């Protein structure tokens, strides 16, 4: 019965994840139709915010796709999807400034971002091998493999949990600077918040699913060790 409860929780979390993805796309599309008062494109807002924070050497590049925006800490580049790069909407400047928030984190050595960068190589390896160990451990009742898989999977889950404050902090930095420096008006700030909060929900949902999956594997491991 307990495992049935865990499966139900995982299914609920998965549905929440789908809803979060639907919401972020819907919110982004909604505020893509709303011009921002400043008249800046996403690229212009990002450039202005970078320069205001002394990041003159960080370029901004357009990339294909929708919601493919990201900050590349290795090459120190802000990459914006074409709709964000060229458009003058609330969505465009919100997403663009969020990515600049990550560039600012990088500059000031925001502790959680530093930690995420340092453990990334370990996470990359762990997330690749964990599924094979977990599946093999369950299929062949090889609980040493299952235990090892849980350890590796825990590293990947930790990475997702560390990502949450990184994303929320970047959004908070963006909102504060956008309002203080006149990128948006006070009346637009609420709309900016809706765009950024919708995007943050996808990270929350992914982390929730991973945590529940990890708990399920731990329960399988501990229950079999009692037998």
């Amino acid at each position: 019965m307990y495992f049935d409860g865990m499966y139900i929780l995982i299914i609920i979390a998965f549905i929440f994840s789908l809803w979060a993805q639907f919401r972020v796309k819907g919110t982004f599309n909604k505020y893509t139709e709303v011009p921002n008062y400043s008249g800046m494109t996403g690229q212009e807002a990002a450039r202005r915010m970078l320069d205001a924070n002394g990041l003159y050497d960080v370029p901004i590049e357009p990339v294909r796709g929708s919601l493919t925006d990201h900050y590349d800490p290795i090459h120190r580049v802000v990459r914006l999807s074409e709709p964000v790069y060229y458009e003058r909407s609330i969505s465009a400047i919100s997403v663009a400034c969020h990515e600049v928030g990550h560039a600012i984190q990088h500059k000031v050595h925001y502790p959680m971002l530093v930690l995420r960068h340092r453990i990334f190589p370990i996470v990359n390896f762990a997330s690749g091998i964990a599924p094979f160990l977990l599946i093999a451990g369950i299929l062949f009742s090889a609980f040493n493999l299952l235990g090892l898989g849980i350890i590796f999977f825990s590293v990947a889950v930790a990475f997702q949990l560390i990502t949450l404050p990184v994303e929320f902090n970047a959004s908070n930095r963006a909102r504060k600077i956008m309002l203080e420096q006149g990128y948006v008006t006070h009346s637009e700030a609420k709309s900016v918040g809706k765009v950024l909060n919708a995007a943050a929900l996808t990270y929350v949902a992914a982390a929730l699913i991973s945590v529940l999956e990890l708990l399920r594997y731990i329960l399988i491991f501990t229950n079999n060790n009692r037998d």
Side-chain angles (χ1 to χ4, degrees):
M1 292 295 294
Y2 192 84
F3 285 108
D4 290 343
M6 284 297 299
Y7 279 117
I8 291 172
L9 287 175
I10 292 171
I11 291 171
I12 291 173
F14 180 72
I15 293 172
F16 174 63
S17 176
L18 293 177
W19 173 79
Q21 292 176 36
F22 175 79
R23 183 178 175 187
V24 69
K25 290 180 181 178
T27 304
F28 179 83
N29 289 338
K30 176 181 177 180
Y31 289 101
T32 293
E33 303 299 323
V34 181
N36 63 72
Y37 180 79
S38 67
M40 289 190 291
T41 64
Q43 185 275 337
E44 290 168 343
R47 183 73 270 156
R48 181 173 167 182
M49 187 175 288
L50 286 168
D51 292 348
N53 287 274
L55 295 168
Y56 307 103
D57 58 336
V58 176
I60 306 168
E61 299 176 352
V63 291
R64 292 185 177 182
S66 177
L67 300 176
T68 51
D69 315 86
H70 64 280
Y71 169 67
D72 181 345
I74 297 175
H75 299 99
R76 297 188 71 233
V77 177
V78 172
R79 296 194 175 99
L80 303 177
S81 60
E82 290 180 346
V84 169
Y85 189 96
Y86 294 109
E87 291 182 4
R88 304 176 186 274
S89 65
I90 291 291
S91 288
I93 63 171
S94 299
V95 173
C97 291
H98 170 86
E99 298 308 331
V100 174
H102 288 307
I104 297 171
Q105 288 175 334
H106 194 181
K107 177 188 176 183
V108 301
H109 304 290
Y110 176 61
M112 299 304 284
L113 183 70
V114 172
L115 177 59
R116 190 173 74 166
H117 289 170
R118 287 180 177 173
I119 69 170
F120 181 75
I122 302 171
V123 172
N124 201 30
F125 171 76
S127 59
I129 196 171
F132 298 102
L133 293 170
L134 293 169
I135 293 170
I138 293 173
L139 287 179
F140 303 109
S141 297
F143 295 104
N144 288 336
L145 290 179
L146 179 59
L148 190 59
I150 288 172
I151 292 172
F152 282 121
F153 188 49
S154 298
V155 175
V157 172
F159 182 81
Q160 288 189 311
L161 293 175
I162 291 168
T163 295
L164 294 180
V166 172
E167 294 299 326
F168 281 110
N169 179 266
S171 289
N172 289 337
R173 288 175 189 271
R175 272 183 287 202
K176 182 179 179 181
I177 293 173
M178 291 169 73
L179 192 56
E180 289 179 350
Q181 298 188 4
Y183 298 21
V184 293
T185 63
H186 284 277
S187 60
E188 290 176 314
K190 186 176 180 181
S191 300
V192 171
K194 288 180 179 179
V195 173
L196 296 177
N197 289 338
L201 278 177
T202 60
Y203 293 98
V204 173
L208 178 60
I209 291 174
S210 295
V211 168
L212 291 174
E213 283 283 356
L214 177 61
L215 289 175
R216 182 169 70 90
Y217 290 125
I218 291 173
L219 286 171
I220 293 172
F221 179 79
T222 54
N223 284 345
N224 280 276
N225 279 342
R226 290 174 187 165
D227 295 340

